[in-house]
């Protein structure tokens, strides 16, 4: 395995030169791999490496520990007074990552090894393929903190499951388990929890052996109708999110999360 670039602290990145599979591990397991600014910057850098490095034929994203990712780190969001700058936060950090991942010219696979919530679920949706474990849960958690789906979920979720199921998930914020996720087309495969990463890597190895130019062109063809639509959705989400974040209900949602209690929304 090629070494982890020394500057990474919140993710790891390793390329197997024999199989040409790069594995990017979100690595804040104590916080269910919630995204901090540092993690987002490292994720962005690793995606650039994955795109540029000819030794990488396919990319796997996985979470360390028992989850994939819980989305934005809400503790850092509060500490940074983030509600006021949430639109810019999305435009400068999240949106470029989602566009880069969606447009990557190599197969991308999410090993959804446990819960994927909020923008963590969006990251998984921006990959080409998803492998879940039997106990994996997918959660459009945004509404729980008075926010709206972002990081591409307003487009990618209804594309995969249709608008009615997308609205069911986004309006309720309730988790969808592996069986429903498979039946709805949210994930491609469900395997035993312990086998998620190995199964995904084995699949990535098969895909990395394909002719690279054909792979790139297949992705361009299949993504043609949605690449511009994703850009537009990301811009619109930034505006929707800034609007939602300006409400007292967002502050109440954050307080409720931090205090581990149900939120009492008032419509203000
Ligand atoms: C967390 C988090 C978390 C920090 C669990 N942050 N610590 C974009 C741009 C800017 C701002 C805002 O938002 C966005 C997009 C978004 O992603 S908004 C949505 C953010 N995510 C959520 O609202 C999900 C919040 N988390 C949950 O609902 C639950 O933790 C899930 C359903 C993910 C997992 O539940 P459990 O399996 O029961 O785990 P847990 O709740 O016990 O969490 C384990 C630990 O992880 C716990 O820490 P502790 O110190 O008490 O052990 C949590 O506080 C921490 N954690 N999510 N997002």
């Amino acid at each position: 395995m090629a070494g982890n670039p020394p500057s990474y602290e919140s993710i790891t990145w390793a390329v197997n030169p024999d199989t040409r599979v790069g594995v990017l591990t979100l690595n804040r397991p104590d916080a269910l791999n919630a995204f901090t600014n540092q993690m987002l910057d490292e994720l962005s850098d690793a995606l650039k490496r994955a795109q540029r490095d000819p030794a990488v034929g396919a990319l796997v994203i996985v979470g360390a520990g028992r989850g994939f990712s819980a989305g934005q780190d809400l503790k850092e969001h509060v500490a940074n007074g983030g509600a006021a700058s949430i639109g810019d936060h999305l435009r400068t950090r999240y949106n470029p990552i989602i566009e880069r991942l969606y447009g990557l010219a190599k197969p991308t696979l999410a090993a959804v090894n446990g819960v994927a919530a909020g923008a963590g679920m969006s990251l998984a949706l921006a990959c080409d393929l998803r492998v879940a474990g039997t106990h994996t849960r997918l959660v459009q958690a945004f509404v729980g903190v008075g926010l709206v789906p972002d990081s591409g979920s307003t487009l990618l979720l209804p594309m995969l499951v249709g608008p009615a199921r997308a609205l069911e998930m986004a309006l309720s914020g309730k988790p969808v388990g592996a069986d429903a996720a498979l039946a709805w087309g949210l994930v491609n495969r469900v395997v035993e929890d312990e086998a998620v990463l190995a199964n995904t890597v084995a699949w990535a190895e098969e895909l990395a052996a394909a002719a690279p130019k054909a792979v790139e062109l297949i992705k361009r063809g299949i993504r043609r109708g949605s690449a511009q639509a994703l850009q537009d959705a990301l811009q619109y989400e930034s505006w929707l999110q800034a609007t939602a974040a300006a409400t007292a209900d967002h502050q109440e949602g954050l307080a409720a999360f931090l205090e581990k209690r149900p939120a009492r929304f008032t419509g203000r």
Side-chain angles (χ1 to χ4, degrees), residues 177-232:
D179 289 347
L182 186 64
W184 291 5
L186 261 180
V187 300
N188 300 77
R189 291 181 181 176
V190 176
V191 301
E192 292 301 318
D193 292 325
E194 314 72 52
V196 171
L197 180 58
N199 188 291
T200 313
V201 168
W203 198 2
E205 287 174 4
E206 284 172 31
L207 299 176
K213 198 66 190 172
V215 166
E216 179 185 342
L217 296 173
I218 287 167
K219 285 196 60 170
R220 276 175 61 177
I222 302 257
R223 296 294 199 217
R224 186 173 73 97
S226 55
Q228 181 61 46
L230 179 63
Q231 259 185 31
D232 296 345

Side-chain angles (χ1 to χ4, degrees), residues 30-32 34 66 70-75 77 86 89-90 94 115 117-120 137 139 141-142 145 147 150 241 257 260:
D30 291 346
L32 287 176
R66 73 174 173 93
Q72 167 68 34
D73 188 305
L74 294 173
K75 293 167 190 166
H77 173 65
I86 200 166
H89 188 49
L90 289 173
Y94 282 88
V115 68
R137 292 166 289 157
V139 197
F142 311 90
V145 286
L147 290 179
D150 64 23
Q241 200 65 294
F257 173 77
K260 297 183 188 278

Side-chain angles (χ1 to χ4, degrees), residues 95 98-104 125-128 130 151-160 218-235 237:
N95 295 356
I98 296 298
E99 272 193 66
R100 187 167 291 134
L101 178 58
Y102 198 69
L104 210 94
L125 296 187
C127 291
D128 299 326
R130 283 155 292 283
S151 304
S153 268
T154 61
L155 180 85
L156 302 175
L157 183 59
M159 255 172 55
L160 284 168
I218 287 167
K219 285 196 60 170
R220 276 175 61 177
I222 302 257
R223 296 294 199 217
R224 186 173 73 97
S226 55
Q228 181 61 46
L230 179 63
Q231 259 185 31
D232 296 345
L234 290 167
Q235 285 304 315
E237 286 170 353

